[in-house]
Amino acid sequence: MIGGLFIYNHKGEVLISRVYRDDIGRNAVDAFRVNVIHARQQVRSPVTNIARTSFFHVKRSNIWLAAVTKQNVNAAMVFEFLYKMCDVMTAYFGKISEENIKNNFVLIYELLDEILDFGYPQNSETGALKTFITQTGIKSQSKEEQSQITSQVTGQIGWRREGIKYRRNELFLDVLESVNLLMSPQGQVLSAHVSGRVVMKSYLSGMPECKFGMNDKIVIDKQGKGGEGATGQSIAIDDCTFHQCVRLSKFDAERSISFIPPDGECELMRYRTTKDIILPFRVIPLVREVGRTKLEVKVVIKSNFKPSLLAQKIEVRIPTPLNTSGVQVICMKGKAKYKASENAIVWKIKRMAGMKESQISAEIELLPTNDKKKWARPPISMNFEVPFAPSGLKVRYLKVFEPKLNYSDHDVIKWVRYIGRSGIYETRC
Amino acid sequence: MEWANQLCENRQFGSKMTDSKYFTTTKKGEIFELKAELNSDKKEKKKEAVKKVIASMTVGKDVSALFPDVVNCMQTDNLELKKLVYLYLMNYAKSQPDMAIMAVNTFVKDCEDANPLIRALAVRTMGCIRVDKITEYLCEPLRKCLKDEDPYVRKTAAVCVAKLHDINAQLVEDQGFLDTLKDLISDSNPMVVANAVAALSEIAESHPNSNLLDLNPQSINKLLTALNECTEWGQIFILDCLANYTPRDDRESQSICERVTPRLSHANSAVVLSAVKVLMKFMEMLPKDLDYYSTLLKKLAPPLVTLLSAEPELQYVALRNINLIVQKRPEILKHEMKVFFVKYNDPIYVKLEKLDIMIRLASQANIAQVLAELKEYATEVDVDFVRKAVRAIGRCAIKVEQSAERCVSTLLDLIQTKVNYVVQEAIVVIKDIFRKYPNKYESVIATLCENLDSLDEPEARAAMIWIVGEYAERIDNADELLESFLEGFHDESTQVQLQLLTAIVKLFLKKPTETQELVQQVLSLATQDSDNPDLRDRGYIYWRLLSTDPVAAKEVVLAEKPLISEETDLIEPTLLEELICHIGTLASVYHKPPSAFVEGSRGVMHKRLPARTGSGESTESPDVGTAAGGSAPEAAPSIIPSQGDLLGDLLNLDMAPPTTSGPPPPTTGMQMGGMDLLGGGLDSLMGDESEPLGGDIGGSPAMGAGFGAAPAVMPASLNAPVGGGLGDLFDLGGVGMPMGAYIPPKIVWLPAMKAKGLEISGTFARRAGVIQMELILTNKAMSVMTDFAIQFNRNSFGLAPAGPLQVLTPLGPNQTIEVSLPLSTVGPVMKMDPLNNLQVAVKNNIDVFYFSCQYPISMLFVEDGKMERQVFLATWKDIPNDNESQFQIKDCHLNSDAASSKLQGSNIFTIAKRTVEGQDMLYMSIKLSNGIWVLAELRVQAGNSNYTISLKCRAPEVSQCVFQCYEAVLKN
């Protein structure tokens, strides 16, 4: 299991050091600093073995988090734990920065004591932790409160406490998708997938039993056999994963998504689709080398969705060679700039409706070099945001039942929003 | 500490007051000040002080002096303060065990507290204090807490049992905690179950045969029920534990799989991977024609693909595991090639792993896409990645025959880029393509030859030379090309030298007329001017072959080569099976069994996949771990391969292991068989090939002949095998008590600089008739060294290790180990220069290192070396005077008797003594382990510290060495 956990600043100075196992000594702290943080080469692996001690690290801005062990631990678990640790810290004091860590070191030690026991991760749901690890220090609880805390921390519904009350029962569902594309210069889709998340923000009283439904092909087809007749389109989900509140065995058996949600925000599910993806934009590149010192670039983008919808925050990034000396750009729409520090032409368009087309052309002057190596021609990448789900996913219902309290599904105010963003959306040129 | 000071300034300038201020220091008298604050009456001040102490502790300062003062703050109802004090205690209790006792009372009291959080805190902390006296006090509270009414306390107590077991295993067993822990598996609270499982699994690891977990269908059922209810971490503990179970039959296996599959949809990647592990393992037991089997296979692919959308670090872990899964069950992911395409922004470690998997998945169906991708990658920035991509193209060609042509043309395109490392990498793989598809793509050779000059890496140069040699008949100027390499022969690496040697011999066999000179040149370069034993051996072999039977040479050198395999880098099947049982863990990331990187008893247990069994039969061995666990610890270190393998391994030559069974041949001529082989060979070579060689190697055949004459004179009785103690017995009373044999002091043979941190020093000794090489191995590197093995090159007296190098424990950094290696004299023979030179190869987990050392020939002097007087006289006369050599030993102050007894200690026997005109004449005989006799006459003049020694021997080469021994023995 995890033998120790260290947090370093960018210089390699220790901010937090907590050792859980006897086989980890203080020298482990230095070994990681010397071999990884101060290493001359770029880090080639997130797992490093130094003298039979294994170090797992993740980096958040300038901060290094390292877990240390001498045993054959579950590596995936260690990384999941490190991410969780970051989440918990962020939930408590915001951004993970050197200053915040120093300002909260007592709290962090307290958290580390609670969520990792002898190197075994324990309940690390912020909802539960916040009930008894408080920054205010002393909090005298009544006996009932105490047992409530402990039963929540260890309980089956560790993510939600009892007795929550809201005057207005309300819930928000965000379907957030990132669409990823890799396209060849000839316009052939090399790979495309959507990774989506359903984020739920709920303000519901009591212990509400929820059921979530979407246009999952498997479910719709099943119902279709029943004679109801499927309405609208259904989508094929390659794979999905759920928040721990969702009853997985029920999903496995009936493909129904039922759960008692944590209070506040949670990521209910993640999914991935690869079939019938609506690609919101197409990028058509044209790069011509004119002699050794000049490049002509023409890029056309075409929007491919309903004309009534508006895409926002569109940004096209056209890489330029390292020996670029000057760039002249002409674009019909938006603004384009050559950013020498980023070796790219960045073309920004605030809004663009569906079924439109826009074009940019640029002349790139090159310095003559005798560098033998050819320019690698990185792909043209694109960023955007569209108000629909590129996977075609639709929320069909989210039903809420709370048998003990007297509010019904109809009383709950529900909001659904779809946002499609670009993930890695690249076209090779 | 710099930042602490900066913060101090910030505070002075009135920035906001936060916890970071505790990191400030007021250098002098700091401890004193803190002490005062800790003893302050004001609660707030106390707390502040403790915070400062913890901050100092974090940055590595020693604040143990404050121990009693901090412990005094323990009695408080402020939970935050209490936790800080506990944190301090956990850190320093071990260094202050006596004072730690002060804390016991508070712990015991806290364990009775009304607040379950405090009870749990106390028991959790107590388990972390590794002081014997405290652990004694821990037992009672722990017993209570294990049965506490509150699940939070129970789940904490369960882990505490594992902590206590780590400190004092016996105590845990004696107190019966293990049984209580087992009971907790049936607890009503899922988290208690999960922690109990985790604790038991850990304890079971150090007792491989205890069957502690006692997994049976009932307990498995309990675990599967808890699986649905506990936290994500608990699910991991339970799944990892389940993976150790072996179901009774395929039905049980299937029902467990059915209950585990829902976990594949968990958001936590570790839960998914652990579930995959259980499924991969239990699937082994399912019949392949079962419907469920194929359903399961289909279910495994999507979650594995989903893992690739996790954070990069997890992707890396997932990819390393997918690499194993693809090797074990390629069908699972065969349609998922696209998801392994590299993204421009992937971290390099993800890119390299994806590339590996792409090659494994490449097939006829997807090869076009794969190739297009690989070509794209070959233009990226990262050199390692580009190289791997280029190599991957070659591997595709070898794997998918239909694509070979396209691959070759892609590689040619890449060669046109003239990017140095791309060209080199391409040439290396093209060589393999030639081997896989002979006589198909040779048209590209011309293009390759154009790039000859740009190759600066040994591997690429060697590959190119191989190509030139292999296709010499098609390359018009092959001789010129190879000759150009020959100019800098000595600066090339061994790999290139060996390849060049072979290539030129091939060329010679193909175009004998115009390349005779070239082949002679390379043979003499290889055999005479090189220090490398491999090269010389290979040179001699070719030489002999060419000179004795050119037809045979052709058959050997130009033999049809076996086809190279399609899959490279495959993990060996038994290791793969073991690694599949470790999916998700570090072992699966390193692709090494846990025993390779875990110290001590933990993880040495070898896991293996279950065998498939029908429903009717039941497996006899209940637990996978226990079955293999028993013998594993002993088996682990014996990785040292047998001598024969090692020889091939180290010296890279397919020589047969030294098989000398039965007594050594009775004549010295035969004893030096190796030399005879060379001598004879060279004789004939000189005769019919070339004159200039004769002079250079003339020494050997002459020597061979010299030995050949010897046996006629030698009395038969003297040819007894080495080490017969008979002569010893007879002579004991002869010339006083023999002193111990002379042992030269140890010197450094292999400096750490030359051997990646391994330093070897040593000496040779002869003890009780056994020759020993006494070595001191020192690890001056940062990492642990293991898997030591040693091998000698052929040498003048056939010295060879009589057993493996006994370095059983890994050698840690800065550790030193002394080993003595018994030597035999029945190894292969080859004359060395100097005669007593020994070339040694030592291998460890890092590399193979070569060094040479010289041994004192005195260790070869056998115990039955005392000659009969008459025989001595006759032999002395018989040996021609040309073979006599005289030496002076200066500054020796021993009298003749002392000298004689000293020499006898080293098996130099005085046969007679004569005194002529105040000068003592000592006649001595020596017998070497290979049967060579050396006769000596030592003249000692009273009052003169200079001795004169005359040596007579049929093999006069040894005289110099023998003289050195006299000098060494007499002067020490």
Side-chain angles (χ1 to χ4, degrees), chain A residues 1 9 11 13-18 21-22 26 35 42-49 51-52 54 56-59 69-77 79-81 83-84 98-99 102-106 109-110 113-114 117-118 120-125 132-133 137-138 141 143 146-147 149-150 153-156 182 189-191 193 238-244 248-249 251-252 270 272 372-374 376 378-379 424 426 428, chain B residues 1-3 7 18-20 22-23 51 54-55 57-60 78 80 83-84 87 90 94 114-117 121 124 130 150-152 155-156 159 162-163 166 189-191 195 198 202 228-229 231-233 236-237 240 262-263 265-270 273-274 299 302-303 305-306 311 313-314 316-317 338 343-344 348-349 373 376 379-380 382 384 418-419 421 582 584-587 589-590 594 596-599 602 782 784:
Chain A
M1 281 307 117
N9 66 7
K11 286 190 218 157
E13 291 161 341
V14 207
L15 304 178
I16 297 287
S17 114
R18 177 74 162 91
R21 295 268 172 155
D22 204 36
R26 182 88 200 171
N35 289 291
Q42 186 196 356
V43 180
R44 299 302 259 198
S45 159
V47 185
T48 321
N49 193 315
R52 294 213 157 200
S54 299
F56 300 76
H57 74 264
V58 299
K59 235 185 134 182
T69 185
K70 284 210 164 184
Q71 299 173 27
N72 182 28
V73 293
N74 188 320
M77 183 186 82
F79 280 123
E80 283 283 3
F81 177 79
Y83 302 144
K84 194 67 166 202
E98 182 169 353
E99 199 190 355
K102 280 189 203 159
N103 286 342
N104 293 286
F105 83 98
V106 174
Y109 276 125
E110 202 174 338
D113 196 38
E114 186 58 45
D117 190 5
F118 201 42
Y120 290 104
Q122 304 291 306
N123 193 336
S124 44
E125 287 299 310
F132 69 105
I133 295 187
I138 340 143
Q141 299 117 330
K143 193 137 197 211
Q146 285 166 5
S147 70
I149 290 169
T150 57
V153 174
T154 60
Q156 295 182 18
L182 184 64
V189 177
L190 296 174
S191 73
H193 75 271
D238 286 26
D239 187 38
C240 49
T241 59
F242 295 99
H243 185 264
Q244 57 169 323
L248 294 179
S249 36
F251 176 76
D252 194 58
R270 270 174 191 243
R272 185 168 46 83
K372 257 193 189 171
K373 195 171 168 356
K374 255 177 62 185
I424 294 163
E426 293 177 338
R428 289 182 179 156
Chain B
M1 209 48 72
E2 211 176 298
W3 49 269
L7 279 163
T18 51
D19 279 357
S20 61
Y22 302 112
F23 286 91
K51 283 187 182 179
I54 300 291
M57 194 174 88
T58 298
V59 296
N78 183 325
E80 195 187 2
K83 283 182 179 173
L84 288 174
L87 187 63
M90 283 186 265
K94 219 175 157 186
N115 187 340
L117 292 173
L121 178 65
R124 185 165 67 210
R130 305 177 65 93
D150 194 293
Y152 183 78
K155 73 110 184 161
T156 312
V159 176
K163 291 180 189 169
D166 195 36
N189 185 294
M191 192 155 176
N195 276 3
E202 177 166 341
N228 287 325
E229 293 162 350
T231 65
E232 45 194 332
W233 313 118
I236 299 169
F237 306 154
D240 284 352
R263 298 300 119 198
S265 303
H266 202 286
N268 186 315
S269 308
L273 268 178
S274 290
K299 277 194 176 172
V305 173
T306 299
E311 289 83 346
E313 291 87 2
L314 267 174
Y316 174 72
V317 174
K338 275 188 180 181
K343 292 180 193 145
Y344 191 70
I348 182 68
Y349 50 82
E373 279 293 309
E376 199 69 40
T379 60
E380 281 224 30
D382 191 287
D384 284 351
K418 304 276 178 197
V419 178
Y421 52 86
H582 287 292
T585 68
L586 261 181
V589 174
Y590 293 147
F597 59 92
V598 174
E599 277 166 1
R602 268 190 196 122
M782 289 291 289
V784 175

Side-chain angles (χ1 to χ4, degrees), chain B residues 676-806:
Chain B
D676 178 54
L677 173 124
L678 287 171
L682 290 170
D683 274 345
S684 64
L685 204 128
M686 284 193 307
D688 56 28
E689 263 241 344
S690 55
E691 284 84 359
L693 301 168
D696 286 332
I697 321 185
S700 330
M703 194 171 168
F707 291 147
V713 192
M714 291 294 164
S717 66
L718 287 174
N719 287 319
V722 179
L726 211 63
D728 225 17
L729 271 178
F730 282 123
D731 291 318
L732 259 181
V735 199
M737 284 299 289
M739 297 182 204
Y742 164 61
I743 300 168
K746 290 193 172 76
I747 53 166
V748 176
W749 284 334
L750 180 69
M753 291 242 302
K754 284 195 178 163
K756 303 185 179 166
L758 176 66
E759 186 187 84
I760 299 179
S761 54
T763 186
F764 293 89
R766 187 184 183 92
R767 297 183 199 278
V770 180
I771 307 170
Q772 286 181 324
M773 186 177 191
E774 300 185 341
L775 295 158
I776 298 181
L777 307 178
T778 309
N779 180 354
K780 297 200 168 170
M782 289 291 289
S783 58
V784 175
M785 297 181 178
T786 55
D787 307 354
F788 285 95
I790 194 165
Q791 192 62 53
F792 297 170
N793 191 20
R794 297 163 169 221
N795 52 71
S796 315
F797 295 93
L799 284 172
L805 190 61
Q806 300 282 329

Side-chain angles (χ1 to χ4, degrees), chain B residues 419-438:
Chain B
V419 178
N420 186 284
Y421 52 86
V422 173
V423 174
Q424 311 212 34
E425 207 65 39
I427 286 181
V428 172
V429 288
I430 285 181
K431 182 199 85 180
D432 285 345
I433 296 176
F434 282 172
R435 281 203 60 184
K436 170 81 183 183
Y437 309 110

